[in-house]
Amino acid sequence: MASPFQSSTSPILLNIGGRTYATTVDTLTHREPDSMLAAMFSGRHTVPKDPDTGMVFIDRDGKHFRHILNWLRDGVLPLLHDSQYQELLREAEYYQLIGLVDYINENMKKPDDEEPELTRRDIIKCIQSKRLRFRGVNLSQLNLSKLDLSFVDFTFACLKNTVFSHANLQKAKFGDVEAVGSNFEDANLRECEFLGANLSESILDRASLQSANLQDASLVDCSFCKADLRSAHLQSANLAGANLTGANLEGANLKGAKLAGTNLQGANLQRAYLREVDLRETLLEGAKLGGANLLGAIR
């Protein structure tokens, strides 16, 4: 079937969601021959055109179509923000531009791919020079195990998947940090501040957290097996799904804490403050509750 367009190099006017673009059949069909656009303008299908303007209408957002045309012409894209890549990816998938989809996926920065701003060596140099403030710094995925980081200010830092195992972090500040999946096994976290921190899915087995402030922290699915949480402040903390098997919470304040699915089997909760806490979905087999304040607790 002959193409309804004059030739492969003749201009075509496209109306993409109200935005007008001019291109050619060759541009639309050459680089991505298996795409929806190539099929539309291959001559195999009748493509309706506006009788007055001659434009072909496609009911999509035309904002990023210029990038699609430039890809089809040159095979490259300008550097875009991640949000723009996401929007362009949706359009590329709609038009079935497989090459462009692969290009975007290869060049779009993944959230977990962000490079840390400092290395372990940089951290050690900071310790030696006593410049110990890392407020808002990205230290994701670094191995900071066994370092003396006591009194260091990590407030607002990004600490995703960072390893602090066996580190000395006494009185360090972790307020509002993003530390999903971090490892604090056997770390000294005495009197640390984790106010509002996100530690979801982190490992804190056998960590010393005596008198630590974890108020309003997200501790979802964390592991605190045999951790020392004596006199810790856990008011309004979200401990849903957390594992505190054998943990020592003697005298800890859990007022308003969320304990749905929390495993407290064998934990020491003597003299802990559990007033008005919902314990209906909490595992408490073998837990020591002597002297605990359970007034108004739902069991």
Side-chain angles (χ1 to χ4, degrees), residues 159 164 169 172-177 179 184 189-199 204 208-209 212-219 233:
L159 304 171
F164 290 102
L169 293 153
K173 295 181 180 180
F174 292 92
D176 293 296
V177 298
F184 292 91
L189 296 162
R190 287 188 176 193
E191 301 178 69
C192 281
E193 180 187 307
F194 287 95
L195 189 66
N198 183 4
L199 295 171
L204 297 101
S208 175
L209 288 141
N213 186 354
L214 294 130
Q215 188 171 343
D216 296 312
S218 177
L219 307 171
H233 303 276

Side-chain angles (χ1 to χ4, degrees), residues 217-231:
S218 177
L219 307 171
V220 176
D221 294 326
C222 282
S223 180
F224 289 91
C225 292
K226 297 184 179 179
D228 188 348
L229 288 147
R230 284 176 291 172
S231 301

Side-chain angles (χ1 to χ4, degrees), residues 8-267:
S8 63
T9 57
S10 297
I12 297 174
L13 292 177
L14 302 175
N15 178 350
I16 313 296
R19 298 196 183 200
T20 302
Y21 293 92
T23 185
T24 65
V25 170
D26 188 59
T27 295
L28 295 171
T29 59
H30 179 69
R31 186 174 299 279
E32 300 261 15
D34 297 319
S35 70
M36 187 187 85
L37 288 172
M40 283 178 65
F41 297 97
S42 65
R44 301 192 302 270
H45 307 283
T46 300
V47 180
K49 295 193 289 184
D50 186 286
D52 297 322
T53 64
M55 288 194 289
V56 176
F57 177 73
I58 299 177
D59 188 16
R60 295 295 293 179
D61 188 344
K63 177 181 178 182
H64 296 300
F65 196 75
R66 65 188 181 93
H67 295 312
I68 288 174
L69 285 181
N70 286 332
W71 165 260
L72 292 173
R73 290 168 182 144
D74 306 317
V76 294
L77 290 177
L79 185 63
L80 302 173
H81 295 297
D82 279 359
S83 60
Q84 294 174 305
Y85 274 128
Q86 290 282 3
E87 293 171 4
L88 183 56
L89 181 61
R90 284 195 294 271
E91 297 306 301
E93 289 172 341
Y94 174 79
Y95 293 116
Q96 299 171 25
L97 298 163
I98 304 304
L100 179 54
V101 168
D102 290 342
Y103 182 93
I104 294 171
N105 284 328
E106 288 174 8
N107 287 274
M108 186 167 56
K109 186 181 290 184
K110 307 298 188 298
D112 293 335
D113 289 343
E114 294 184 15
E115 291 293 325
E117 296 175 54
L118 299 171
T119 65
R120 180 182 173 92
R121 180 176 293 181
D122 293 330
I123 301 297
I124 293 172
K125 287 181 179 178
C126 288
I127 294 170
Q128 292 170 342
S129 65
K130 302 187 185 304
R131 291 185 288 110
L132 298 177
R133 291 185 64 183
F134 300 111
R135 291 174 65 92
V137 177
N138 181 6
L139 303 175
S140 296
Q141 303 183 54
L142 286 185
N143 182 356
L144 303 179
S145 60
K146 301 180 181 178
L147 295 179
D148 185 355
L149 297 164
S150 53
F151 299 94
V152 174
D153 188 352
F154 293 100
T155 306
F156 303 116
C158 185
L159 304 171
K160 294 179 182 177
N161 301 306
T162 302
V163 178
F164 290 102
S165 57
H166 298 275
N168 180 12
L169 293 153
Q170 184 169 356
K171 292 189 177 181
K173 295 181 180 180
F174 292 92
D176 293 296
V177 298
E178 190 65 37
V180 175
S182 290
N183 187 335
F184 292 91
E185 285 182 300
D186 299 289
N188 179 7
L189 296 162
R190 287 188 176 193
E191 301 178 69
C192 281
E193 180 187 307
F194 287 95
L195 189 66
N198 183 4
L199 295 171
S200 299
E201 301 176 13
S202 292
I203 301 172
L204 297 101
D205 296 343
R206 299 174 303 281
S208 175
L209 288 141
Q210 291 181 44
S211 301
N213 186 354
L214 294 130
Q215 188 171 343
D216 296 312
S218 177
L219 307 171
V220 176
D221 294 326
C222 282
S223 180
F224 289 91
C225 292
K226 297 184 179 179
D228 188 348
L229 288 147
R230 284 176 291 172
S231 301
H233 303 276
L234 291 154
Q235 299 97 306
S236 302
N238 188 350
L239 284 152
N243 185 0
L244 289 99
T245 303
N248 189 350
L249 291 124
E250 183 175 354
N253 188 342
L254 291 126
K255 181 181 179 181
K258 297 178 179 64
L259 300 175
T262 306
N263 187 346
L264 287 163
Q265 292 177 312

